[in-house]
Amino acid sequence: SSAVLEAIENVIQDVLKSLAQKKAPVLTLANRSDWRNIEFKDSVGLQMIPHCTTKQIRSDSPRSAPKFALMLKILSVIYKMVQSNTYATKRDIYYSDTLLFGSQSVVDNIINDISCMLKIPRRSLHILSTAKGFVAGNLSYTEEDGTEVNCTCGATVFTVPSNVQGIKNLISHAKFMLIVEKDATFQRLLDDDFCNKLSPCIMITGRGIPDLNTRLLVRKLWDSFQIPIFTLMDADPHGVEIMCIYKYGSVSMSFEAHHLTVPSIKWLGLLPSDLERLNIRKDVLIPFTKQDQNKLASIQKRPYIACQPMWKKELEIMAASKLKAEIQVLTSLSSDYLSRVYLPNKLQFGGWL
């Protein structure tokens, strides 16, 4: 915490120095959403290059002055919280002055910018985000406040903890971990008692694009148990994108890649080649939209696809067919096909990439 306080004090000292010299204060931060500042490393995923281009938030420019003021405001909130050892969610910060901030996304974006500028992970800034992910299966742990969580009891679902760093005493006999894209599929597998039927496993869903806590938990479980991690996504560009976020990280959070990515994650399904192999009827598939085409084209150009020849092939199949499928498409074969046939076969015979 002293490092956080010192980092904030340095920023404020620079502002005061500029004012003393009658110059307009400026905040400088890395351009974190620019692909040119990102390098791909097999062992880490997408990470920021050491000397990347920066942008300035100026206090004397009408365009950036409001953001400059908001960044100082949130820095003061963080400083007080670290000093008093209290925590707040991003939502709490937004609701402390909704008129000033205008929207939740403004707060979220500034917090990421501050984290990047200070080179300090967000949870060390005492800011928690409300977790939206779920976890179930063969896992128990103790939360920071001493609450004992046992996910092993049947079809119980637990929300991913909001302070993943604080959890301890992790125990699991799981043979693998399954990351499920959507809540509906996750619930369906729970109803079918999938976590216990095949062999004990841990299931996690970020319920779409994963939030930071879900990604931190996946990484923590990987560090703790070193078991295989598989992903179950829709066979569409959006599903592939979500899987890549878990595996390689995202451009906007590349400055924190070391805590968030698990490059050993495997693509279990739904593979575009599965649709042909299982003779899925064309009438239950969904035609691509222009947006899907653009998203797929952008994914195909990403640096990590080049080192994944099998993925490349799957994306080419998807691009050629211009059709996408949700995991639910497997119910056209039988209502419990996913948990009774598809997943057991895949896991038994190594049907992942």
Side-chain angles (χ1 to χ4, degrees):
S1 59
S2 59
V4 180
L5 296 177
E6 196 182 325
I8 296 174
E9 284 160 11
N10 290 340
V11 171
I12 302 305
Q13 271 172 341
D14 286 345
V15 168
L16 293 174
K17 225 179 270 175
S18 299
L19 290 170
Q21 295 166 356
K22 303 225 173 348
K23 288 183 190 159
V26 165
L27 297 174
T28 305
L29 51 125
N31 246 333
R32 61 187 174 86
S33 50
D34 189 337
W35 272 97
R36 288 170 300 186
N37 287 332
I38 310 295
E39 62 177 356
F40 169 65
K41 226 175 135 184
D42 247 0
S43 57
V44 181
L46 300 175
Q47 61 176 10
M48 281 192 118
I49 56 176
H51 306 291
C52 56
T53 59
T54 55
K55 59 179 176 183
Q56 291 192 326
I57 312 293
R58 302 190 61 85
S59 59
D60 61 350
S61 141
R63 269 186 60 210
S64 62
K67 182 167 183 177
F68 179 91
L70 291 179
M71 283 183 79
L72 288 190
K73 164 75 177 167
I74 291 180
L75 279 168
S76 79
V77 171
I78 292 168
Y79 194 86
K80 282 179 197 146
M81 289 196 301
V82 175
Q83 264 187 329
S84 59
N85 197 24
T86 52
Y87 287 81
T89 63
K90 295 186 298 182
R91 211 166 164 70
D92 295 333
I93 294 173
Y94 167 60
Y95 278 109
S96 70
D97 199 333
T98 51
L99 280 175
L100 177 70
F101 295 119
S103 77
Q104 180 71 59
S105 61
V106 168
V107 174
D108 297 356
N109 200 20
I110 286 177
I111 288 166
N112 285 342
D113 277 343
I114 287 174
S115 175
C116 184
M117 177 175 76
L118 301 178
K119 297 188 170 51
I120 290 170
R122 193 170 74 194
R123 55 214 164 274
S124 302
L125 303 176
H126 285 228
I127 294 171
L128 306 172
S129 49
T130 323
K132 69 180 176 92
F134 290 147
V135 59
N138 195 292
L139 174 69
S140 62
Y141 55 86
T142 310
E143 288 202 16
E144 198 185 23
D145 62 0
T147 310
E148 301 209 350
V149 175
N150 184 2
C151 309
T152 313
C153 350
T156 328
V157 173
F158 289 88
T159 306
V160 167
S162 56
N163 190 354
V164 173
Q165 294 312 97
I167 67 174
K168 47 190 185 292
N169 307 332
L170 287 96
I171 299 167
S172 176
H173 305 292
K175 296 284 180 276
F176 64 92
M177 208 155 105
L178 184 67
I179 299 172
V180 182
E181 177 185 350
K182 284 194 187 134
D183 193 16
T185 312
F186 181 84
Q187 299 291 350
R188 179 67 216 242
L189 289 171
L190 272 182
D191 294 345
D192 291 348
D193 196 24
F194 177 75
C195 289
N196 301 313
K197 261 187 192 156
L198 196 62
S199 58
C201 74
I202 300 168
M203 273 200 327
I204 287 187
T205 179
R207 299 163 75 196
I209 294 172
D211 60 324
L212 206 61
N213 293 324
T214 305
R215 291 171 61 190
L216 282 167
L217 183 62
V218 169
R219 176 61 197 244
K220 188 166 184 108
L221 293 173
W222 160 247
D223 288 338
S224 305
F225 305 121
Q226 301 278 316
I227 50 178
I229 304 180
F230 302 108
T231 58
L232 181 62
M233 306 280 150
D234 288 342
D236 66 6
H238 190 63
V240 174
E241 169 114 280
I242 288 172
M243 171 172 59
C244 292
I245 290 173
Y246 283 109
K247 188 174 169 79
Y248 295 125
S250 59
V251 174
S252 63
M253 294 300 289
S254 55
F255 63 94
E256 266 211 61
H258 291 267
H259 311 286
L260 292 171
T261 59
V262 184
S264 62
I265 283 174
K266 304 278 186 282
W267 186 4
L268 186 69
L270 191 60
L271 303 176
S273 59
D274 287 340
L275 304 175
E276 218 160 88
R277 187 174 60 81
L278 299 171
N279 288 324
I280 303 285
R281 300 195 322 270
K282 285 277 191 286
D283 63 325
V284 293
L285 302 178
I286 309 159
F288 260 26
T289 61
K290 187 81 188 107
Q291 206 180 354
D292 291 326
Q293 269 171 303
N294 295 342
K295 166 83 76 192
L296 182 57
S298 102
I299 292 172
Q300 286 175 304
K301 287 194 198 90
R302 287 186 196 165
Y304 43 70
I305 297 299
C307 71
Q308 290 279 5
M310 303 297 280
W311 283 33
K312 207 172 159 200
K313 233 181 229 152
E314 292 294 332
L315 298 183
E316 282 162 6
I317 293 172
M318 199 189 287
S321 74
K322 290 194 174 59
L323 292 168
K324 57 183 182 177
E326 296 186 326
I327 297 161
Q328 282 79 356
V329 81
L330 295 175
T331 54
S332 68
L333 300 170
S334 78
S335 64
D336 58 352
Y337 192 85
L338 176 65
S339 58
R340 187 176 52 84
V341 183
Y342 183 80
L343 288 175
N345 281 347
K346 283 245 162 185
L347 291 161
Q348 195 180 343
F349 301 113
W352 57 79
L353 305 177

